[in-house]
Amino acid sequence: MKVLKVKNLNFGYNGSQILHNVSLEVERGELVAILGPNGAGKSTLMKCLAGVFKCNGVEVFEKPINEYSREELARIIGYVPQAIVPGFMRVFDTVLLGRRPYMGLKPSKKDIEAVKSTLKMLKIDHLALKPINRLSGGELQKVNIARALAQEPEILLMDEPTNNLDLRSQVEVMKIAREFVESGKTAVIIMHDVNLALRFADRFVFMKGGRIIKDGGRNVLTPGLFEEVYGVGGVIAEVQGVPVVVPDLVD
């Protein structure tokens, strides 16, 4: 079964066409990295997949995304945008918002335990009572990820989740994403760090100008592809069995 399917998607707003004839299929158990330069349409595509933007041509579990209610979709898709606006809520309460699709008038014991375990997983349980407007950028990003994971979704969509994170935290977040898909679920992640993507992802979708330029496994990685997508050449080497891109210096 196709977990996500996009067929001939054309989408834009404010009078500008952003996505051009985009088609994509994602299987259960895949970790898909979406890569490309700034302005490639990656975040717009992600918002279409998450149901943030209403559009035709997107299916979730072989059903048009527009046929789901917001609550139904929230039980299936956990979406991590690039940033959230800090408010005065505590970290614990912010992550608890991820349980709203399951809660009644008040949180159940299961809801509370789900938040506690998620905070512990991301190693931010010591921040539980801290207001989110007093967090660092990296801490806030982890809270954002924790809220999506607390939803216990089947599909995790993350838009540049490793931004603002130190090297250790970047690896920890990607390991969590890897474990998520190995449990039989699905993750689609927008990334700028090509080498981090190469270490953890199964598939690589390269975008430019609102179009998918290349979609595939490690076999699609060539110096010519990086020249076409990023406008910079380089060398693809291998370190401990993992491909590494070493870009040329740009004049």
Side-chain angles (χ1 to χ4, degrees):
M1 175 183 286
K2 307 298 181 186
V3 173
L4 288 169
K5 185 176 181 180
V6 181
K7 186 175 181 181
N8 303 326
L9 176 61
N10 292 284
F11 185 81
Y13 48 88
N14 296 332
S16 297
Q17 186 77 12
I18 308 297
L19 300 177
H20 305 271
N21 199 35
V22 171
S23 294
L24 177 69
E25 293 184 354
V26 181
E27 301 277 356
R28 184 185 293 276
E30 283 190 307
L31 196 165
V32 179
I34 301 180
L35 302 147
N38 294 328
K42 303 183 300 296
S43 293
T44 298
L45 175 59
M46 182 70 80
K47 289 176 181 177
C48 290
L49 294 177
V52 176
F53 289 154
K54 299 299 180 183
C55 55
N56 298 317
V58 177
E59 293 184 359
V60 179
F61 289 112
E62 300 184 351
K63 176 180 174 180
I65 193 169
N66 294 333
E67 294 183 9
Y68 288 93
S69 69
R70 293 189 67 176
E71 183 174 281
E72 288 173 331
L73 207 57
R75 293 186 179 195
I76 299 171
I77 295 176
Y79 170 54
V80 181
Q82 285 188 22
I84 57 175
V85 178
F88 295 95
M89 293 180 67
R90 297 178 303 173
V91 167
F92 191 94
D93 297 326
T94 302
V95 177
L96 184 61
L97 290 175
R99 299 297 302 171
R100 288 178 65 181
Y102 307 97
M103 285 196 299
L105 295 176
K106 62 180 182 178
S108 66
K109 183 178 179 180
K110 182 178 180 180
D111 295 322
I112 299 298
E113 289 304 317
V115 174
K116 287 181 178 179
S117 64
T118 304
L119 291 174
K120 186 175 182 180
M121 182 194 311
L122 284 158
K123 300 181 179 178
I124 53 173
D125 46 320
H126 63 289
L127 299 173
L129 299 181
K130 193 170 183 178
I132 63 171
N133 62 349
R134 293 176 55 191
L135 302 179
S136 69
E139 290 169 340
L140 185 61
Q141 187 74 327
K142 283 190 173 184
V143 172
N144 202 11
I145 295 167
R147 183 170 64 177
L149 289 172
Q151 290 177 230
E152 299 182 329
E154 291 295 318
I155 304 167
L156 185 62
L157 304 177
M158 298 198 287
D159 192 344
E160 301 183 26
T162 57
N163 277 8
N164 301 314
L165 299 183
D166 59 46
L167 185 59
R168 181 185 181 91
S169 294
Q170 289 178 27
V171 173
E172 287 174 349
V173 166
M174 292 306 297
K175 284 178 69 177
I176 289 171
R178 186 74 249 169
E179 291 167 2
F180 183 84
V181 301
E182 287 175 356
S183 71
K185 299 183 179 182
T186 304
V188 181
I189 306 176
I190 293 175
M191 304 183 70
H192 276 300
D193 190 328
V194 175
N195 288 325
L196 194 62
L198 296 185
R199 181 165 186 180
F200 288 97
D202 303 303
R203 274 176 59 200
F204 312 95
V205 177
F206 288 87
M207 294 186 67
K208 183 179 181 181
R211 293 178 170 84
I212 292 179
I213 304 299
K214 187 70 71 173
D215 176 4
R218 293 181 180 178
N219 59 300
V220 306
L221 307 175
T222 64
L225 174 62
F226 290 101
E227 178 72 44
E228 179 183 3
V229 173
Y230 294 102
V232 60
V235 175
I236 299 177
E238 192 168 289
V239 178
Q240 297 181 345
V242 179
V244 176
V245 178
V246 183
D248 294 336
L249 293 177
V250 179
D251 295 331

